[in-house]
Amino acid sequence: QYIESAEKATNNKEKALIYKQLAELLIARDDFKNAATFYVKALSLSQDFSEQEKIQIANYMAWGERLSDAITLLRDVLQKNPDNQEARVNLAKFLSWSGQLDEAIKEADNVLYKSPQNREALLVKANAINWKGKPRQAIPIYESLLKEQEDFDARLSYTYALLGIGSIKAAKESAMLLKSSYEYQEKELKELQDKLDTVRRPTLDSGYSYYRDSDHNILNRYYANFEFWFNDYKFDLHYRHTAAKGWLYNNRAEEVSLGVYKKVSDTIGIGVGTGLADLHNSTTHNFITGHINADIDFLEGSVGVMFSREVMTDTAEIIDNKIKINNLGLNIVQRLTDRWSIYGSYNYKDYSDNNFSHDFQITPKYLILNGNPGVSIGYTLRYLTFDRQTYHGYFDPENFLSNQLTLYFNYVKDKFYIYLEPYGGYQGYKRYGDSKHEVFGGGSGILGYKISKS
C-alpha cells in the first residue's frame, strides 16, 4: 500500500515522506534492514529532514547494516553544523563499527576536546583502541567509566579487554556484574559466557592428511594436538605420525613434543618446548627437538624471536637422509593504518648436511572489505638462498626471488564458513647450475560447518 502510494505521489517530497513512513512502520517491527533501504530511498528524493531526524535515521541505517550510508548522512549533518556533538559521537561509533578505527578515535577526540567527560565518546574511543589490538591502553578508560557509573556496554567491552590480556580470573569476575535489560544485551551476554566457557577449556584436535606430488612422493599423516591451561601457563602437547613413500624409499616418522607459554609481563611473552623425533628406515634413529621463543608488544604490533631444533619429514627421501635443522628466526608484525598492515621475517637455518640458508620475506597487506565477507590483498617479496646444493631431497636454490600477489577471502553464513586464498606471481632461481624464471599460481581453501560451539 505504501509503495503504491509512493508511485502515485506527484512530487519527490511527498514520495520521500511516504518512504519514511514505511521505514518507520518497519522499525516498529524491528525490521531494520528493510527500513534502512527505504530511508535511503527517502533521502535520495528529499533532504527536507531536520538534523535530529537525520541523526535518528543514521542510527536505524547502521542497525540495518547500511553503515556506509549512515556515515555519509552524519558527515552531511556535520558539514552544515560542525558543533553537533551527538552527530559526531554517532559518526565516531559507526566509523569504529566499519573498521575505520583511526578515524573513529579522531572523531571521538574532537568530542572530548570540548566535552572531556562525554561517556559515549570515551566508550567509542576505548573500543576503537581495544579493537586495534591494544586492550591494555583501553582498560584504564573502561575502568574510569565503570568507577563513575555501572554500564552494560562499558562492562562488556571491559571484560573482553581483560580476556585480551589473558586476565581470565578478572574477566570472569567482571562478567558476573553484567545484567541484561534488553534482548540484544541478552544475546551479547550469552556470547560472552560461551567465550568464557571455552577460553581455558582443554582442547583436543586430531586429523589426517594425504599428500602427493609430481615427483611421486606420497605422505599419509595422522596427528593429535592437546592444549590445556594450568594457572597462567598454556601447555601444548603434539603427536604426529608420518608414513612416506617414494621411488626408492618407504619410511616413517614419529614425533612428539610438549611446549609451554606464559605472558611474563604486560608486554612480553616467553615459550619453551622440547620433543623427540623417531625416524625409521631400515633402522631407528632418535633425535631431540625443541624451541625457545619470545615476543614483545612494539608500536602498533609485535616483534618476535625464536630458536628451534627441527627434523625434516617432508618426503621419504628426506626422512632417509635424516636432515636436522637449527633455525634462528625473527619476525615483526605492524598495523600501519586501519587498512594497511605489514609482516616481515628473517630465518637463518643451519642444516645437518653442512648446508645453510638465509630466508627473508616481507608482506604488506591491504584490507579491501572489513566484515562479512572480508576481503584483503597482499604482496609478498621473498628472497631465499642456500650455500650449496646437497642432493638430499629438499629445495635448496641459489638466489630464489619471488613476487607474489595473494587474495584473502572469508565469509560466514549461519554455521557455515569459507576461506579462500588464491595466489599468483613470478619467480626465478638457480639450482644445480640451471637458471629458471617462471610464472606460478595456485591456491588453497577451507569450507567448514560449525556443529556446536565446541
Side-chain angles (χ1 to χ4, degrees):
Q1 181 183 351
Y2 280 92
I3 295 174
E4 290 178 5
S5 299
E7 291 173 351
K8 295 176 182 177
T10 57
N11 57 68
N12 286 343
K13 184 176 179 180
E14 183 182 349
K15 187 181 292 188
L17 181 60
I18 295 171
Y19 282 139
K20 179 175 176 290
Q21 291 171 344
L22 175 54
E24 290 169 348
L25 178 64
L26 292 167
I27 291 295
R29 298 175 179 174
D30 291 332
D31 187 356
F32 295 101
K33 195 166 186 177
N34 284 318
T37 300
F38 286 105
Y39 275 129
V40 170
K41 288 184 178 182
L43 289 165
S44 69
L45 295 168
S46 173
Q47 289 292 313
D48 192 22
F49 299 100
S50 68
E51 276 189 7
Q52 196 58 43
E53 284 179 313
K54 288 182 178 179
I55 293 170
Q56 188 60 63
I57 288 172
N59 274 281
Y60 291 144
M61 285 179 171
W63 298 342
E65 301 177 15
R66 300 290 290 259
L67 279 172
S68 179
D69 292 311
I71 289 168
T72 300
L73 180 56
L74 290 174
R75 288 195 191 280
D76 178 65
V77 170
L78 289 167
Q79 186 176 10
K80 295 170 184 174
N81 181 10
D83 295 326
N84 192 316
Q85 297 290 74
E86 184 182 359
R88 197 170 295 281
V89 168
N90 280 288
L91 174 61
K93 185 196 305 179
F94 301 152
L95 285 168
S96 70
W97 290 1
S98 67
Q100 301 176 62
L101 303 177
D102 291 332
E103 189 69 19
I105 293 171
K106 179 182 175 182
E107 293 295 348
D109 281 338
N110 286 335
V111 174
L112 295 169
Y113 179 76
K114 294 182 177 181
S115 306
Q117 302 305 316
N118 188 302
R119 287 184 62 85
E120 225 180 332
L122 284 167
L123 181 57
V124 169
K125 181 177 181 177
N127 284 341
I129 293 171
N130 190 15
W131 297 340
K132 284 185 73 172
K134 295 185 173 184
R136 294 186 189 279
Q137 293 184 17
I139 283 173
I141 304 177
Y142 293 133
E143 289 177 340
S144 68
L145 290 170
L146 293 168
K147 184 178 180 180
E148 179 185 330
Q149 177 186 324
E150 189 61 38
D151 175 85
F152 181 90
D153 293 329
R155 174 66 63 183
L156 182 76
S157 297
Y158 175 58
T159 307
Y160 275 113
L162 290 171
L163 283 173
I165 63 171
S167 297
I168 311 301
K169 182 179 178 182
K172 289 183 176 180
E173 291 173 352
S174 177
M176 292 176 66
L177 299 174
L178 281 164
K179 306 296 180 185
S180 59
S181 302
Y182 304 99
E183 186 176 344
Y184 85 90
Q185 292 178 345
E186 290 177 6
K187 181 182 177 183
E188 291 183 337
L189 183 54
K190 184 179 183 305
E191 290 175 354
L192 174 63
Q193 292 296 344
D194 288 344
K195 178 74 173 178
L196 288 168
D197 287 344
T198 59
V199 69
R200 286 208 171 185
R201 178 187 298 164
T203 61
L204 176 65
D205 172 32
S206 60
Y208 162 80
S209 65
Y210 174 81
Y211 168 85
R212 180 171 186 151
D213 64 27
S214 56
D215 288 333
H216 302 282
N217 291 303
I218 299 175
L219 269 78
N220 290 277
R221 271 187 168 150
Y222 306 83
Y223 65 88
N225 306 317
F226 181 61
E227 296 182 356
F228 63 95
W229 286 84
F230 180 75
N231 292 332
D232 289 330
Y233 294 85
K234 183 180 181 182
F235 290 85
D236 304 283
L237 179 62
H238 302 284
Y239 169 76
R240 185 169 71 173
H241 166 79
T242 301
K245 293 182 181 180
W247 277 113
L248 303 173
Y249 307 95
N250 187 354
N251 299 323
R252 61 188 175 90
E254 314 288 344
E255 300 166 84
V256 63
S257 65
L258 175 66
V260 59
Y261 177 86
K262 186 183 188 300
K263 274 284 189 182
V264 295
S265 73
D266 287 349
T267 58
I268 299 175
I270 294 178
V272 294
T274 187
L276 181 68
D278 287 346
L279 306 185
H280 302 266
N281 44 24
S282 56
T283 58
T284 299
H285 303 269
N286 301 322
F287 302 98
I288 300 295
T289 60
H291 74 272
I292 181 169
N293 63 282
D295 56 80
I296 182 170
D297 295 341
F298 176 70
L299 297 178
E300 297 292 319
S302 65
V303 176
V305 59
M306 177 192 70
F307 175 78
S308 65
R309 180 168 175 79
E310 309 161 10
V311 175
M312 296 182 71
T313 59
D314 296 329
T315 67
E317 181 182 0
I318 291 174
I319 293 174
D320 201 73
N321 289 322
K322 301 178 287 295
I323 306 297
K324 300 168 291 296
I325 307 171
N326 293 322
N327 177 32
L328 176 63
L330 303 170
N331 67 79
I332 182 169
V333 180
Q334 288 293 308
R335 179 176 183 149
L336 305 179
T337 69
D338 289 337
R339 293 191 177 272
W340 282 103
S341 61
I342 192 165
Y343 168 81
S345 68
Y346 167 75
N347 285 274
Y348 172 77
K349 295 185 178 182
D350 180 32
Y351 292 75
S352 59
D353 56 353
N354 297 317
N355 203 2
F356 63 85
S357 69
H358 300 277
D359 189 354
F360 167 83
Q361 77 173 49
I362 186 166
T363 302
K365 195 172 178 182
Y366 180 74
L367 176 65
I368 299 172
L369 285 177
N370 182 36
N372 189 33
V375 181
S376 299
I377 190 168
Y379 162 73
T380 299
L381 172 67
R382 185 184 183 193
Y383 176 75
L384 168 67
T385 190
F386 280 76
D387 178 52
R388 61 193 180 90
Q389 280 77 57
T390 61
Y391 299 87
H392 283 163
Y394 58 89
F395 184 58
D396 46 8
E398 297 174 41
N399 299 319
F400 174 89
L401 184 64
S402 169
N403 295 274
Q404 176 177 313
L405 282 175
T406 306
L407 182 71
Y408 309 89
F409 174 86
N410 62 275
Y411 179 71
V412 178
K413 178 67 174 177
D414 299 325
K415 292 188 176 183
F416 286 95
Y417 58 92
I418 186 171
Y419 177 78
L420 300 174
E421 196 175 292
Y423 61 84
Y426 185 78
Q427 65 188 20
Y429 60 91
K430 186 177 180 180
R431 192 170 183 232
Y432 303 133
D434 294 330
S435 295
K436 281 195 174 183
H437 298 275
E438 57 194 8
V439 174
F440 67 91
S444 60
I446 298 170
L447 177 65
Y449 180 79
K450 191 77 172 174
I451 298 171
S452 71
K453 66 180 181 181
S454 300

